[in-house]
Amino acid sequence: MISKNDKNIVYGSSYRGYRINNGKNSEHSCYKDSLDKTINIIENKTQRHNKAHMTRIDVHPPQGMPEIEASKAMTRVVESMLREISRKHKHSSHDPDISVIRTTEIGSHENNLHFHFSILSNGNAIQNGYTFLESMTRHSERIFGSSMSGRVNYSSSNNGTGIMINRNSPDYEEKLQEAVYAGSYLAKTNTKDNLRKGTHKLSISHSKRK
């Protein structure tokens, strides 16, 4: 149970100058440390590269799979995806510089275990979020050992090929706000009450830099 006096909880629709997703009717609160990690990575990517790309993906493991088993499998999926995409850009002049932000949730009504991802990358190397969707789907089917049709979902917040934050574009601030708003969804407090003790609210994986 979350207390209104908990200093790690953010209420309202803005934080650190950014719009955050607190629900259509402001029914959600967010973990402050999860918001900070998300914002820091987004800002870091935009400082490191003149173009930063963000993709949101959601994954539902096979029904009935225990949380600890699904989490371990999901870690393998992410690691395989990072290796594959990094390998494909081995001889490219642009390092994909991928950061994968992940959270685990269990729906309160349907007891439905699922994972949310925000994937940040160098926009000079990655221009299309379907690169991540296709890789994650392929490795999910291999590692989970079953069809993942309808279980690896490309978020509507991607608005097509993903959110491209171009430092030299007139819509830079707009896209930066858009990315933080989309990423803040992973920081919401609800649907995390049923997780096993010790589960990280937010975990982050990075590709190896060139």
Side-chain angles (χ1 to χ4, degrees):
M1 185 66 66
I2 295 170
S3 167
K4 282 280 187 181
N5 297 319
D6 191 331
K7 293 182 179 179
N8 189 40
I9 304 300
V10 174
Y11 298 91
S13 58
S14 65
Y15 178 69
R16 282 176 54 177
Y18 295 102
R19 292 183 297 109
I20 60 173
N21 186 349
N22 67 331
K24 291 181 179 179
N25 301 306
S26 299
E27 70 273 23
H28 298 321
S29 55
C30 294
Y31 288 111
K32 179 179 178 293
D33 55 356
S34 295
L35 285 174
D36 282 329
K37 290 176 183 177
T38 297
I39 293 170
N40 289 346
I41 287 179
I42 293 173
E43 289 182 342
N44 177 268
K45 282 289 186 287
T46 61
Q47 291 164 7
R48 188 178 293 169
H49 309 290
N50 66 325
K51 293 179 183 177
H53 186 275
M54 177 172 172
T55 308
R56 274 272 296 104
I57 292 176
D58 305 316
V59 177
H60 294 254
Q63 194 71 34
M65 180 174 280
E67 181 193 339
I68 190 166
E69 183 181 342
S71 293
K72 287 181 178 178
M74 203 70 252
T75 297
R76 290 176 58 204
V77 169
V78 171
E79 291 172 346
S80 296
M81 179 188 71
L82 289 175
R83 283 195 300 269
E84 178 189 30
I85 295 175
S86 294
R87 188 168 58 247
K88 287 181 177 179
H89 287 81
K90 184 177 180 179
H91 301 295
S92 169
S93 58
H94 295 293
D95 184 347
D97 186 21
I98 307 165
S99 296
V100 180
I101 306 171
R102 160 182 155 190
T103 193
T104 308
E105 296 184 355
I106 297 180
S108 56
H109 298 297
E110 69 276 21
N111 196 32
N112 184 18
L113 174 68
H114 55 281
F115 303 92
H116 296 298
F117 296 89
S118 291
I119 307 174
L120 279 298
S121 59
N122 177 359
N124 295 291
I126 306 288
Q127 291 87 39
N128 194 330
Y130 284 95
T131 298
F132 298 113
L133 178 69
E134 291 167 2
S135 180
M136 189 170 280
T137 300
R138 183 166 55 256
H139 290 297
S140 291
E141 291 188 338
R142 176 178 61 83
I143 290 169
F144 283 113
S146 64
S147 170
M148 293 296 285
S149 177
R151 292 187 169 276
V152 183
N153 303 313
Y154 195 70
S155 173
S156 60
S157 65
N158 293 316
N159 293 322
T161 57
I163 302 171
M164 182 66 80
I165 313 165
N166 186 340
R167 209 166 52 215
N168 300 316
S169 174
D171 67 357
Y172 168 72
E173 288 293 340
E174 176 187 341
K175 292 300 180 182
L176 183 59
Q177 288 281 348
E178 192 177 324
V180 172
Y181 183 84
S184 69
Y185 185 78
L186 278 66
K188 70 183 192 297
T189 57
N190 67 315
T191 68
K192 293 183 174 72
D193 291 340
N194 298 321
L195 296 172
R196 64 186 173 85
K197 188 176 180 180
T199 299
H200 294 293
K201 294 191 292 293
L202 206 74
S203 59
I204 302 167
S205 303
H206 302 282
S207 61
K208 291 184 178 179
R209 299 290 305 280
K210 285 185 178 182

